[in-house]
Amino acid sequence: VQGNQGFMRKSKMSVLERLLLSKVRRTYGIKPSIGLIKKAAELAALYFVPENRVNGMEHLEEVRRLLNEGRRVEIVANHSSDADFPVLEDALRRNGFPDLAERLLPLYGEKLERSFGTMLYARAFRRIPVWSPYTETQSEGEKQQKIIVNLSAIKAAQRAVTDGDIVVIFPD
């Protein structure tokens, strides 16, 4: 599991909040108050995704119940953009499921590390890196790396659900 907070450390901040905090630190060299960052993230989310809501709340109540019983939960979600995970996390927080939002741990393709923009926000949250089966390898070494990364991802996902995290899978 990778992320800017260290190995498997949970954070009470949303992805957007961590992004804003990181940007302010890098740009101005200061650490603003968490309250200010939370308010800025809330305003940005409302501006960019004002209609972000959750349909099927009864299913999330069931997820909460299963987790409270110590059961393992994975979410397989439709994938429409590289912003799917932050949008999902924000929707859960806004609609009364902040406890579930804090447990989300997405499998994220290595392609996010190749684009500067997506790399920045991908590093703002905990994630399990995977190598997409659709990404072609350029060399034998890269092929071996793909195998190692994906085997590690399977083990990390198994540990995560055992520890009570919700592994989120966005199939291509």
Side-chain angles (χ1 to χ4, degrees), residues 7-170:
F7 202 74
M8 291 297 286
R9 187 182 304 172
K10 293 190 180 190
S11 172
K12 299 290 183 184
M13 297 176 73
S14 73
V15 170
L16 188 53
E17 291 164 353
R18 290 190 297 272
L19 278 173
L20 288 170
L21 181 61
S22 175
K23 178 70 173 168
V24 170
R25 280 183 179 163
R26 282 192 317 271
T27 304
Y28 303 106
I30 61 171
K31 181 180 177 184
S33 75
I34 298 302
L36 179 64
I37 289 295
K38 287 186 175 292
K39 191 61 176 173
E42 178 185 326
L43 292 172
L46 287 171
Y47 177 78
F48 290 110
V49 193
E51 301 287 325
N52 200 357
R53 64 188 180 345
V54 175
N55 293 322
M57 294 275 204
E58 67 278 3
H59 301 294
L60 294 173
E61 292 294 347
E62 178 69 5
V63 166
R64 186 180 274 155
R65 185 186 66 74
L66 291 170
L67 288 168
N68 287 338
E69 291 176 1
R71 305 278 300 273
R72 298 174 181 188
V73 176
E74 300 90 19
I75 294 176
V76 179
N78 289 336
H79 182 46
S80 61
S81 80
D82 291 335
D84 289 337
F85 177 72
V87 169
L88 173 63
E89 183 192 51
D90 177 66
L92 290 175
R93 287 182 190 281
R94 279 198 217 177
N95 290 280
F97 296 94
D99 55 321
L100 299 183
E102 290 175 15
R103 291 180 173 202
L104 295 178
L105 183 59
L107 294 178
Y108 247 74
E110 48 63 52
K111 67 182 179 181
L112 290 177
E113 297 292 327
R114 295 180 182 186
S115 162
F116 181 73
T118 56
M119 176 186 66
L120 286 178
Y121 86 75
R123 290 184 179 184
F125 54 85
R126 297 179 319 123
R127 67 207 181 282
I128 299 173
V130 295
W131 200 310
S132 170
Y134 305 109
T135 303
E136 293 191 26
T137 56
Q138 303 299 318
S139 67
E140 187 60 34
E142 203 172 67
K143 183 178 180 182
Q144 291 301 315
Q145 180 185 5
K146 180 178 181 177
I147 292 168
I148 291 168
V149 166
N150 288 344
L151 287 174
S152 296
I154 291 168
K155 291 176 185 175
Q158 288 172 334
R159 276 193 313 269
V161 294
T162 299
D163 292 344
D165 285 322
I166 302 170
V167 172
V168 182
I169 303 167
F170 296 102

